[in-house]
Amino acid sequence: KAKGAGRKRFHIFEASSKYDHVENFIHELALSVAVEKEELHLHYQLIYNPVREEVIGAEALLRWNSANMGMIQPSDFIPVAEETGLIIPIGYWVIRQACKDWHLLKAEYGPQFKISVNISRIQLNEHLFVDQMLQILEDEHVDPRVVELEITESTTIHSMEDVQQTLRRLRAEGFTIALDDFGTGYSSLSMLTLLPIDKLKIDRSFIWEMNVSLISAILAMAHALNLQVIAEGIETYEQYRMLKEMNCWGVQGYYINKPAQFALLPKQVVVTKYDTIF
Ligand code: C2E
Ligand code: MG
Ligand code: MG
Ligand code: MG
């Protein structure tokens, strides 16, 4: 009886993995069509300094509004784009669009405004990456010093040497580098001292836990290493107040704003003791 059940499970597994394969292929095709048909858009989420009470920047977040499949989340299509290499042209599209929008955002929020873009490991390993980035910024009349590149902790695990070298070149050109989702990967403290980075973005899971001792330890360590800190996933006034009292340099989350297209961003941030401002 147990044998039969096992065989049955095997068949189910086989069928679903075949299906996954086909689904992936269709996804890949659709994604290449999406790039051509201009179904990709950027949303922005503000980054706010709670002490100075000003908007200091925004993170560009990619959205795929498919004519056939509706809104598709980045977590569903970025892995496919990475596997197929499509993330390379998509990534260049993202930086170009973010640069175009930066001119509008800066006019709205002031000269301190910086634009953040997420960069995947695949992009960083492309040998023309730095040159292409500089060309795009030059085309769009944007100085690298107002562009922040977010890389995730896991990116730095692979080919540490190459990553370090590319990051050093980018920093020498004026870009700033933020380590995204900090605390979720496997980075050791010694790795933090080796990596050429400017910022840490504390992963939202630590914020949601309201893990005060952990957050203050990260802030103290960052301070000692001369790194600025942004807290992700701020959803409530309590979380906001905690991070403001801790002198956290930047906060980001639904409490400040939900990611939105440029035209729908709040002109200014209004801090209230109410958790939901929507
Ligand atoms: P991320 O860079 O860590 O971006 C933050 C994610 O958290 C975003 O999800 C954002 O919408 C969400 N978020 C922000 N504040 C809150 C909050 O208060 N509560 C909750 N529940 N969620 C919040 P999103 O837009 O779905 O993006 C997911 C991930 O996809 C990003 O994580 C980033 O790693 C990746 N991604 C997005 N755009 C790009 C891109 O242009 N290029 C690359 N390579 N990756 C991208
Ligand atoms: Mg990010
Ligand atoms: Mg993050
Ligand atoms: Mg994330």
Side-chain angles (χ1 to χ4, degrees):
K1 198 153 199 174
K3 230 178 193 171
R7 190 175 294 153
K8 202 170 180 185
R9 269 205 303 278
F10 175 73
H11 281 295
I12 290 166
F13 173 73
E14 193 179 48
S16 78
S17 76
K18 254 185 208 154
Y19 172 73
D20 280 354
H21 186 73
V22 173
E23 193 186 46
N24 248 347
F25 177 68
I26 291 168
H27 222 59
E28 177 188 335
L29 258 178
L31 193 48
S32 59
V33 173
V35 179
E36 306 248 296
K37 279 195 181 165
E38 300 177 4
E39 291 179 347
L40 300 177
H41 307 272
L42 290 185
H43 277 187
Y44 292 98
Q45 187 171 42
L46 301 176
I47 301 173
Y48 187 71
N49 182 300
V51 179
R52 296 207 304 256
E53 299 189 342
E54 72 177 356
V55 174
I56 49 185
E59 178 176 4
L61 294 161
L62 191 55
R63 298 290 178 261
W64 178 14
N65 200 349
S66 162
N68 302 320
M69 296 177 279
M71 192 65 103
I72 304 172
Q73 295 305 309
S75 55
D76 290 329
F77 69 87
I78 284 172
V80 182
E82 287 178 332
E83 276 166 37
T84 57
L86 272 169
I87 194 69
I88 306 274
I90 290 174
Y92 290 136
W93 178 84
V94 168
I95 186 74
R96 191 179 292 279
Q97 190 58 47
C99 283
K100 288 184 199 294
D101 290 341
W102 174 81
H103 292 283
L104 305 171
L105 289 157
K106 184 198 151 204
E108 187 70 52
Y109 296 104
Q112 75 290 342
F113 190 92
K114 287 184 82 158
I115 189 75
S116 301
V117 289
N118 293 285
I119 303 293
S120 106
R121 174 170 60 89
I122 313 291
Q123 293 171 270
L124 220 50
N125 287 339
E126 210 250 316
H127 72 291
L128 285 175
F129 182 68
V130 180
D131 296 333
Q132 295 271 15
M133 291 289 279
L134 290 171
Q135 186 59 55
I136 293 169
L137 266 69
E138 198 185 311
D139 293 349
E140 304 300 333
H141 312 287
V142 171
D143 190 307
R145 283 173 294 186
V146 300
V147 178
E148 184 147 287
L149 306 176
E150 298 192 2
I151 56 158
T152 61
E153 253 185 307
S154 57
T155 298
T156 62
I157 302 296
H158 305 272
S159 54
M160 181 73 172
E161 294 279 297
D162 295 347
V163 168
Q164 274 188 47
Q165 207 193 327
T166 307
L167 295 182
R168 263 197 295 273
R169 278 187 66 203
L170 289 163
R171 278 182 98 207
E173 296 290 349
F175 291 96
T176 54
I177 313 290
L179 194 59
D180 206 350
D181 305 332
F182 178 71
T184 57
Y186 304 92
S187 58
S188 64
L189 296 182
S190 63
M191 200 174 100
L192 271 187
T193 66
L194 289 174
L195 278 174
I197 55 172
D198 304 279
K199 265 178 213 146
L200 294 181
K201 295 190 79 171
I202 306 180
D203 191 70
R204 56 192 195 209
S205 55
F206 298 129
I207 308 302
W208 292 349
E209 284 169 19
M210 291 278 272
N211 197 330
V212 177
S213 48
L214 188 72
I215 294 166
S216 53
I218 293 174
L219 285 167
M221 179 196 64
H223 188 236
L225 295 173
N226 244 324
L227 301 170
Q228 287 178 318
V229 174
I230 296 172
E232 299 188 293
I234 308 299
E235 290 187 344
T236 68
Y237 174 69
E238 266 311 295
Q239 294 163 350
Y240 172 81
R241 207 188 48 168
M242 170 183 77
L243 288 149
K244 182 184 168 135
E245 278 168 9
M246 290 172 152
N247 257 304
C248 187
W249 184 79
V251 298
Q252 186 186 345
Y254 292 174
Y255 177 72
I256 305 294
N257 84 300
K258 277 200 171 157
Q261 63 189 82
F262 171 75
L264 298 177
L265 289 172
K267 301 282 179 240
Q268 50 194 344
V269 172
V270 181
V271 168
T272 67
K273 64 183 165 68
Y274 304 107
D275 291 349
T276 309
I277 53 171
F278 299 96

